[in-house]
Amino acid sequence: SLLLALSLLSPWGSAAGSCPPRCVCASNLLSCSQANLSVVPAPLPRFTAVLDLSHNNVTRLRADWAPARLPHLHALLLSHNGLAFVSTEAFTHVPRLRHLDLSSNRLRTLDENLFSDLGELEVLLLYNNEISTVDRTAFENLGRLRKLYLGQNRIARFPLELLREGTRLPQLALLDLSANRLRAVPAGELQALPAWLRDRLYLHNNPLACDCLLFQLLDRGRRRHLSAVEDFQDELRCFLPGASAHVKILDLAGKQPLNCSKAREAVLEAHLGDTVTLGCDSRWQGVRSRHWVTPGGERVLGDGGNGSVVLLANGSLQLRALRPEDGGTYSCWVAGPLLNETLYVELLVHNFTLHGPHDTLNTAYTTLVGCILSVVLVLIYLYLTPCRCCCCRGTEKPPAPRDDSINSSVLSTTPNHAGGTGEPCGSHLASGAGAGQNGRFKGGGTPPLPARQAPKAQRKVSDPDSVSSVFSDTPIVV
């Protein structure tokens, strides 16, 4: 009776909570490893928190492997099973899963929304499979995923959507892509990642093509003592163009044919009067404290001076209205959870006068073009305007009275002609003494009136020294 009472009190005492055959049960832990299972044992106790099914023959994980909801299950181990198929609904009944091990199986593809039901998943192990295709939505809704192991697969395309701002997994702190088939990586975008993420981005043992951007990315990581670079320097190799043997990426500095230059630490360039922000790119998350030291040795803890130096909430240092003396090397001191770290940012302040010659050249060029256009317009106005005298040649009929506003030159500063009847055009052509260039009349005094015309009020003529009419050949004074 005592044994019966203890069995009833034990979580495995009831029929629904009995330990499955060939499994070892301890409290809420269920271990069925190396039990030669081809399917998941059933029924599974509802309070199971850890389920170990590794080293079996479970080749397919269907949607009904857990027919009832397992609200307490937070770790599922399925490594070394020859697993080749996982249903997109396989994790519907285990929403609290935080650790999922699918490593060392035969998975070839990661289908659309495969893990979308695992909103609390933190660690996902997929290494040592045959994965060559990864759907872009396979990891959607994994807002708490911190570690993703995709090493030792057949992945040929870098999954940049996992890291790019706006689409990346927000809590991701480790991404293992080692021992795949990557031939290129987006070095520029990887350099823009936070240092704490670059510290856990593993790229070794890939057939990468040698590139100076890749070299500088890894060289900066070595200078910063990032573990993903420092711990795997010998495995970080690449292939030179036309070569069959690989070389160490970190040995490319100054060597042919690429002749890559050494990577410089963070360098920021700006001009006088600019506002810049110096980032404290620490490889530690959850830092306790940090402060900046200026090139002059002053420690910045808050607003400095008249507000030109500001320590932002995220640890960055903002400099406003830059002056020449603001240039130099700034250092950020970080107190990390394990070790302290010091970061250096070199600020180069360029004087705006360095751009002066370009501005002067632009102004001079604009002025020259304006002058040339003005001269061309004046010449067109002078020589391409049709002469009205050709219309009345050979006729004795006097022209209609002239209107002062029409006949006076738009360029002349002399008074308008006096009122009265004008002269016929033939009088200008008949006078040979006043003929000027191109056969036109060149006014030098009062032209004689025809004999048949009675003496009337003589027409006033512009002073020869003034700016003449547009119909004369007297040079225009500009």
Side-chain angles (χ1 to χ4, degrees), residues 427-444:
S427 63
H428 292 279
L429 298 174
S431 175
Q437 187 180 6
N438 296 332
R440 292 190 179 94
F441 174 76
K442 188 170 185 179

PDB file of all heavy atoms in Angstrom, residues 427-444:
ATOM      1  N   SER A 427      17.482 110.209 -99.257  1.00  0.00           N
ATOM      2  CA  SER A 427      18.437 111.279 -98.948  1.00  0.00           C
ATOM      3  C   SER A 427      19.665 110.725 -98.292  1.00  0.00           C
ATOM      4  O   SER A 427      20.758 111.244 -98.453  1.00  0.00           O
ATOM      5  CB  SER A 427      17.767 112.326 -98.051  1.00  0.00           C
ATOM      6  OG  SER A 427      17.407 111.732 -96.820  1.00  0.00           O
ATOM      7  N   HIS A 428      19.535 109.657 -97.510  1.00  0.00           N
ATOM      8  CA  HIS A 428      20.717 109.063 -96.869  1.00  0.00           C
ATOM      9  C   HIS A 428      21.564 108.330 -97.883  1.00  0.00           C
ATOM     10  O   HIS A 428      22.781 108.355 -97.818  1.00  0.00           O
ATOM     11  CB  HIS A 428      20.266 108.068 -95.773  1.00  0.00           C
ATOM     12  CG  HIS A 428      19.613 108.749 -94.602  1.00  0.00           C
ATOM     13  ND1 HIS A 428      20.325 109.330 -93.611  1.00  0.00           N
ATOM     14  CD2 HIS A 428      18.297 108.947 -94.310  1.00  0.00           C
ATOM     15  CE1 HIS A 428      19.499 109.853 -92.706  1.00  0.00           C
ATOM     16  NE2 HIS A 428      18.247 109.629 -93.130  1.00  0.00           N
ATOM     17  N   LEU A 429      20.911 107.699 -98.828  1.00  0.00           N
ATOM     18  CA  LEU A 429      21.672 106.924 -99.797  1.00  0.00           C
ATOM     19  C   LEU A 429      22.328 107.815-100.836  1.00  0.00           C
ATOM     20  O   LEU A 429      23.361 107.460-101.392  1.00  0.00           O
ATOM     21  CB  LEU A 429      20.750 105.927-100.502  1.00  0.00           C
ATOM     22  CG  LEU A 429      20.095 104.887 -99.575  1.00  0.00           C
ATOM     23  CD1 LEU A 429      19.103 104.044-100.355  1.00  0.00           C
ATOM     24  CD2 LEU A 429      21.148 104.035 -98.910  1.00  0.00           C
ATOM     25  N   ALA A 430      21.780 108.979-101.083  1.00  0.00           N
ATOM     26  CA  ALA A 430      22.338 109.860-102.117  1.00  0.00           C
ATOM     27  C   ALA A 430      23.559 110.586-101.654  1.00  0.00           C
ATOM     28  O   ALA A 430      24.350 111.046-102.442  1.00  0.00           O
ATOM     29  CB  ALA A 430      21.271 110.860-102.554  1.00  0.00           C
ATOM     30  N   SER A 431      23.684 110.722-100.370  1.00  0.00           N
ATOM     31  CA  SER A 431      24.838 111.466 -99.846  1.00  0.00           C
ATOM     32  C   SER A 431      26.019 110.528 -99.779  1.00  0.00           C
ATOM     33  O   SER A 431      26.010 109.552 -99.046  1.00  0.00           O
ATOM     34  CB  SER A 431      24.503 112.019 -98.446  1.00  0.00           C
ATOM     35  OG  SER A 431      25.618 112.625 -97.906  1.00  0.00           O
ATOM     36  N   GLY A 432      27.078 110.869-100.515  1.00  0.00           N
ATOM     37  CA  GLY A 432      28.268 110.010-100.519  1.00  0.00           C
ATOM     38  C   GLY A 432      29.283 110.425 -99.512  1.00  0.00           C
ATOM     39  O   GLY A 432      30.157 109.667 -99.164  1.00  0.00           O
ATOM     40  N   ALA A 433      29.193 111.704 -99.045  1.00  0.00           N
ATOM     41  CA  ALA A 433      30.219 112.170 -98.118  1.00  0.00           C
ATOM     42  C   ALA A 433      30.101 111.493 -96.777  1.00  0.00           C
ATOM     43  O   ALA A 433      31.092 111.321 -96.092  1.00  0.00           O
ATOM     44  CB  ALA A 433      30.102 113.699 -97.968  1.00  0.00           C
ATOM     45  N   GLY A 434      28.878 111.130 -96.424  1.00  0.00           N
ATOM     46  CA  GLY A 434      28.703 110.534 -95.085  1.00  0.00           C
ATOM     47  C   GLY A 434      28.683 109.032 -95.099  1.00  0.00           C
ATOM     48  O   GLY A 434      28.304 108.418 -94.120  1.00  0.00           O
ATOM     49  N   ALA A 435      29.044 108.463 -96.253  1.00  0.00           N
ATOM     50  CA  ALA A 435      29.001 106.987 -96.311  1.00  0.00           C
ATOM     51  C   ALA A 435      30.039 106.385 -95.393  1.00  0.00           C
ATOM     52  O   ALA A 435      31.173 106.813 -95.351  1.00  0.00           O
ATOM     53  CB  ALA A 435      29.233 106.526 -97.730  1.00  0.00           C
ATOM     54  N   GLY A 436      29.594 105.361 -94.671  1.00  0.00           N
ATOM     55  CA  GLY A 436      30.519 104.701 -93.725  1.00  0.00           C
ATOM     56  C   GLY A 436      30.736 103.258 -94.107  1.00  0.00           C
ATOM     57  O   GLY A 436      30.577 102.865 -95.250  1.00  0.00           O
ATOM     58  N   GLN A 437      31.048 102.483 -93.111  1.00  0.00           N
ATOM     59  CA  GLN A 437      31.357 101.076 -93.338  1.00  0.00           C
ATOM     60  C   GLN A 437      30.124 100.355 -93.855  1.00  0.00           C
ATOM     61  O   GLN A 437      28.999 100.626 -93.457  1.00  0.00           O
ATOM     62  CB  GLN A 437      31.807 100.444 -92.003  1.00  0.00           C
ATOM     63  CG  GLN A 437      32.314  99.025 -92.167  1.00  0.00           C
ATOM     64  CD  GLN A 437      32.741  98.471 -90.819  1.00  0.00           C
ATOM     65  OE1 GLN A 437      32.532  99.124 -89.827  1.00  0.00           O
ATOM     66  NE2 GLN A 437      33.359  97.331 -90.846  1.00  0.00           N
ATOM     67  N   ASN A 438      30.344  99.417 -94.790  1.00  0.00           N
ATOM     68  CA  ASN A 438      29.285  98.620 -95.405  1.00  0.00           C
ATOM     69  C   ASN A 438      28.298  99.460 -96.190  1.00  0.00           C
ATOM     70  O   ASN A 438      27.160  99.085 -96.424  1.00  0.00           O
ATOM     71  CB  ASN A 438      28.511  97.816 -94.357  1.00  0.00           C
ATOM     72  CG  ASN A 438      29.389  96.801 -93.695  1.00  0.00           C
ATOM     73  OD1 ASN A 438      30.351  96.332 -94.314  1.00  0.00           O
ATOM     74  ND2 ASN A 438      29.099  96.490 -92.448  1.00  0.00           N
ATOM     75  N   GLY A 439      28.709 100.686 -96.558  1.00  0.00           N
ATOM     76  CA  GLY A 439      27.833 101.518 -97.367  1.00  0.00           C
ATOM     77  C   GLY A 439      26.751 102.214 -96.584  1.00  0.00           C
ATOM     78  O   GLY A 439      25.900 102.870 -97.161  1.00  0.00           O
ATOM     79  N   ARG A 440      26.721 102.055 -95.267  1.00  0.00           N
ATOM     80  CA  ARG A 440      25.706 102.727 -94.468  1.00  0.00           C
ATOM     81  C   ARG A 440      26.125 104.159 -94.198  1.00  0.00           C
ATOM     82  O   ARG A 440      27.293 104.504 -94.224  1.00  0.00           O
ATOM     83  CB  ARG A 440      25.496 101.979 -93.139  1.00  0.00           C
ATOM     84  CG  ARG A 440      24.855 100.605 -93.315  1.00  0.00           C
ATOM     85  CD  ARG A 440      24.462 100.074 -91.949  1.00  0.00           C
ATOM     86  NE  ARG A 440      23.823  98.776 -92.060  1.00  0.00           N
ATOM     87  CZ  ARG A 440      24.465  97.628 -91.952  1.00  0.00           C
ATOM     88  NH1 ARG A 440      25.760  97.631 -91.749  1.00  0.00           N
ATOM     89  NH2 ARG A 440      23.821  96.502 -92.069  1.00  0.00           N
ATOM     90  N   PHE A 441      25.146 104.957 -93.872  1.00  0.00           N
ATOM     91  CA  PHE A 441      25.421 106.363 -93.577  1.00  0.00           C
ATOM     92  C   PHE A 441      25.998 106.484 -92.181  1.00  0.00           C
ATOM     93  O   PHE A 441      25.529 105.856 -91.242  1.00  0.00           O
ATOM     94  CB  PHE A 441      24.124 107.169 -93.683  1.00  0.00           C
ATOM     95  CG  PHE A 441      24.287 108.608 -93.264  1.00  0.00           C
ATOM     96  CD1 PHE A 441      24.917 109.517 -94.117  1.00  0.00           C
ATOM     97  CD2 PHE A 441      23.838 109.032 -92.035  1.00  0.00           C
ATOM     98  CE1 PHE A 441      25.059 110.828 -93.725  1.00  0.00           C
ATOM     99  CE2 PHE A 441      23.995 110.351 -91.658  1.00  0.00           C
ATOM    100  CZ  PHE A 441      24.597 111.255 -92.509  1.00  0.00           C
ATOM    101  N   LYS A 442      27.014 107.273 -92.045  1.00  0.00           N
ATOM    102  CA  LYS A 442      27.667 107.489 -90.767  1.00  0.00           C
ATOM    103  C   LYS A 442      27.459 108.937 -90.380  1.00  0.00           C
ATOM    104  O   LYS A 442      28.039 109.846 -90.941  1.00  0.00           O
ATOM    105  CB  LYS A 442      29.154 107.146 -90.880  1.00  0.00           C
ATOM    106  CG  LYS A 442      29.870 107.151 -89.535  1.00  0.00           C
ATOM    107  CD  LYS A 442      31.263 106.575 -89.693  1.00  0.00           C
ATOM    108  CE  LYS A 442      31.961 106.456 -88.368  1.00  0.00           C
ATOM    109  NZ  LYS A 442      33.297 105.892 -88.481  1.00  0.00           N
ATOM    110  N   GLY A 443      26.595 109.132 -89.435  1.00  0.00           N
ATOM    111  CA  GLY A 443      26.243 110.502 -89.041  1.00  0.00           C
ATOM    112  C   GLY A 443      27.390 111.243 -88.435  1.00  0.00           C
ATOM    113  O   GLY A 443      27.947 110.805 -87.456  1.00  0.00           O
ATOM    114  N   GLY A 444      27.736 112.418 -89.000  1.00  0.00           N
ATOM    115  CA  GLY A 444      28.793 113.230 -88.408  1.00  0.00           C
ATOM    116  C   GLY A 444      28.345 114.670 -88.286  1.00  0.00           C
ATOM    117  O   GLY A 444      29.113 115.542 -87.921  1.00  0.00           O
TER     118      GLY A 444
END
